[in-house]
């Protein structure tokens, strides 16, 4: 059984009349966790509330047992935060000075700060560039600096808010593998906030799905996408309509998805599908199992409206 690193209790944040998050009561396990949801769903609001950057309108939360309302310094000591936007960069400062400065802000001594800054920059792959000025850094390099600042005080939890935004494919892969290695090799608990399913699928074992300031679903990704809920993809060359109609008439729930017909799996369904194909003169060109992807889960959870908004 995984232990919980964060427990929230009716956590609510309104910006005036605008809802950020409402009545969030969740238990977040240790490991690789993702906050997944479309733009404006409340992911950043929850993160900023947990860090005490903004104050809850109602409710509270505990991070590793510390109350965010009463023990925010203890909370901040234990979280490394890679923010979505960062305006704190000082272009004339070298990466080394900047990260060491962040370490000092976290209460480390001068010598400790230098050592930790150097180690963190090495970890994110910016060893050679550490004495270059931040103003000359690419977006991908800046993202790595942000990660280095999050690591500098050796926190137990690392929260990354949309860390691959604006990165090219190579930068994205590098960033994701760095985050993954933090969990695998350093034993950090990771929270990744993203609207990108492909990022979430690569990093996380557990996900909380956000919509309109609330948690719509949560669970182990393997369980959410469990094989038993998968379907069969069938491609036929002729009589597609008739074949589809007959499948549904026979109680095999089926629908068109692109060039394939998708059929719900049930006992002995393949035998029945071949029988129906034979009866309707539908020429089967392909038949294969299709695992349920996180995308299927995600799309099922949201109405079209949710995704457009
Ligand atoms: N400072 C603010 N003032 C007013 N409203 C805000 C503020 N920050 C966020 N909101 C509103 O709160 C809601 C949740 O926003 P939030 O930024 O938490 O979503 P998100 O899931 O992080 O979205 P994204 O994927 O775009 O980063 C949105 O309706 C947003 O407009
Ligand atoms: Mg956000």
């Amino acid at each position: 059984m995984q232990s919980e690193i964060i427990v929230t209790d009716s956590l609510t944040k309104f910006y005036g009349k605008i809802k950020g998050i409402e009545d969030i009561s969740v238990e977040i396990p240790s490991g690789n966790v993702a906050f997944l949801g479309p733009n404006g769903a409340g992911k950043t609001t929850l993160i900023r509330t947990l860090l005490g950057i903004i104050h809850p309108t109602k409710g509270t939360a505990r991070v590793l047992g510390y109350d965010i309302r009463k023990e925010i310094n203890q909370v901040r000591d234990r979280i490394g935060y890679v923010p979505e936007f960062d305006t704190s960069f000082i272009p004339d400062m070298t990466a080394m000075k900047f990260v060491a400065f962040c370490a000092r802000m976290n209460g480390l001594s001068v010598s400790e700060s230098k050592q930790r800054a150097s180690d963190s920059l090495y970890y994110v792959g910016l060893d050679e560039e550490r004495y270059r000025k931040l103003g000359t850094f690419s977006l991908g390099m800046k993202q790595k600096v942000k990660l280095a600042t999050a690591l500098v005080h050796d926190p137990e939890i690392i929260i990354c808010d949309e860390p691959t935004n604006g990165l090219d494919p190579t930068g994205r892969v590098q960033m994701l593998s760095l985050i993954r290695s933090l969990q695998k090799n350093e034993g950090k608990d990771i929270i990744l906030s993203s609207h990108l399913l492909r990022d979430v699928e690569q990093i996380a074992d557990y996900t909380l799905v956000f919509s309109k300031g609330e948690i719509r679903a949560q669970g182990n990704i393997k369980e959410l996408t469990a094989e038993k809920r998968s379907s069969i993809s069938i491609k036929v060359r002729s009589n597609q309509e008739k074949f589809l109609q007959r499948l549904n008439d026979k109680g095999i729930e089926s629908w068109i998805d692109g060039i394939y017909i998708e059929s719900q799996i049930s006992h002995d369904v393949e035998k029945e599908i071949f029988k129906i194909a034979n009866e309707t003169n539908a020429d089967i060109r392909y038949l294969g199992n299709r695992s349920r992807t996180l995308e299927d889960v995600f799309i099922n959870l949201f109405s079209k409206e949710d995704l457009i908004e």
Side-chain angles (χ1 to χ4, degrees), residues 52-290:
I53 300 168
I54 51 179
H55 300 290
T57 313
K58 201 190 94 186
T60 191
R62 285 184 173 272
V63 177
L64 298 171
Y66 295 101
D67 191 323
I68 60 161
R69 284 189 182 266
K70 297 180 199 140
E71 298 163 303
I72 198 62
N73 289 336
Q74 284 90 329
V75 171
R76 285 191 187 147
D77 283 349
R78 284 158 183 84
I79 298 182
Y81 174 44
V82 179
E84 191 174 12
F85 304 106
D86 202 332
T87 49
S88 69
F89 279 146
I90 302 161
D92 278 340
M93 231 185 211
T94 65
M96 183 65 191
K97 265 213 162 124
F98 180 72
V99 180
F101 171 72
C102 295
R104 290 284 290 151
M105 301 277 283
N106 276 294
L108 273 66
S109 71
V110 174
S111 62
E112 253 182 331
S113 296
K114 278 191 187 153
Q115 186 57 49
R116 288 287 314 163
S118 177
D119 292 349
S120 303
L121 284 163
Y122 178 81
Y123 195 85
V124 301
L126 289 176
D127 193 36
E128 283 175 20
E129 293 89 349
R130 69 188 190 279
Y131 292 117
R132 260 174 64 182
K133 287 182 177 172
L134 289 172
T136 70
F137 276 23
S138 71
L139 185 68
M141 289 160 83
K142 283 182 185 153
Q143 287 293 85
K144 288 182 186 169
V145 173
K146 280 205 245 170
L147 188 57
T149 64
L151 296 175
V152 79
H153 59 300
D154 198 20
E156 285 147 85
I157 304 171
I158 311 281
I159 303 183
C160 302
D161 198 355
E162 308 273 3
T164 62
N165 261 5
L167 299 188
D168 66 17
T170 316
R172 202 186 130 246
V173 169
Q174 277 182 359
M175 181 51 68
L176 291 176
S177 67
L178 262 174
I179 296 171
R180 232 188 345 244
S181 81
L182 283 171
Q183 207 281 326
K184 206 167 160 220
N185 303 327
E186 310 296 316
K188 306 285 182 200
D189 288 317
I190 304 292
I191 295 179
L192 168 85
S193 163
S194 180
H195 61 280
L196 298 171
L197 283 161
R198 55 177 200 270
D199 284 7
V200 170
E201 275 171 326
Q202 281 200 28
I203 294 273
D205 302 316
Y206 193 94
T207 184
L208 284 85
V209 183
F210 286 65
S211 169
K212 296 178 180 166
E214 285 158 40
I215 308 282
R216 192 67 76 88
Q218 71 178 100
N220 203 297
I221 293 184
K222 279 215 179 83
E223 283 164 21
L224 286 171
T225 59
E227 192 69 34
K228 61 180 174 355
R229 296 161 90 173
S230 66
S231 57
I232 287 182
S233 294
I234 312 157
K235 192 172 162 195
V236 292
R237 203 170 61 171
S238 47
N239 292 330
Q240 178 176 265
E241 288 299 315
K242 207 167 145 194
F243 175 59
L244 179 67
Q245 182 66 48
R246 186 76 67 89
L247 287 170
N248 280 305
D249 289 348
K250 293 273 183 182
I252 302 170
E253 195 191 325
S254 303
W255 61 96
I256 303 256
D257 182 3
I259 56 167
Y260 293 102
I261 290 177
E262 291 291 317
S263 292
Q264 281 297 353
I265 288 181
S266 61
H267 185 62
D268 249 6
V269 75
E270 291 193 14
K271 224 162 121 189
E272 187 70 11
I273 287 170
F274 279 111
K275 201 170 142 222
I276 294 170
N278 195 28
E279 287 164 13
T280 54
N281 286 325
D283 190 6
I284 292 187
R285 294 270 125 183
Y286 171 84
L287 187 145
N289 276 343
R290 182 174 160 207

Side-chain angles (χ1 to χ4, degrees), residues 15 18-20 37-45 84 162 195:
Y15 301 94
I18 302 170
K19 177 163 91 173
N39 294 135
K43 307 178 296 290
T44 301
T45 301
E84 191 174 12
E162 308 273 3
H195 61 280

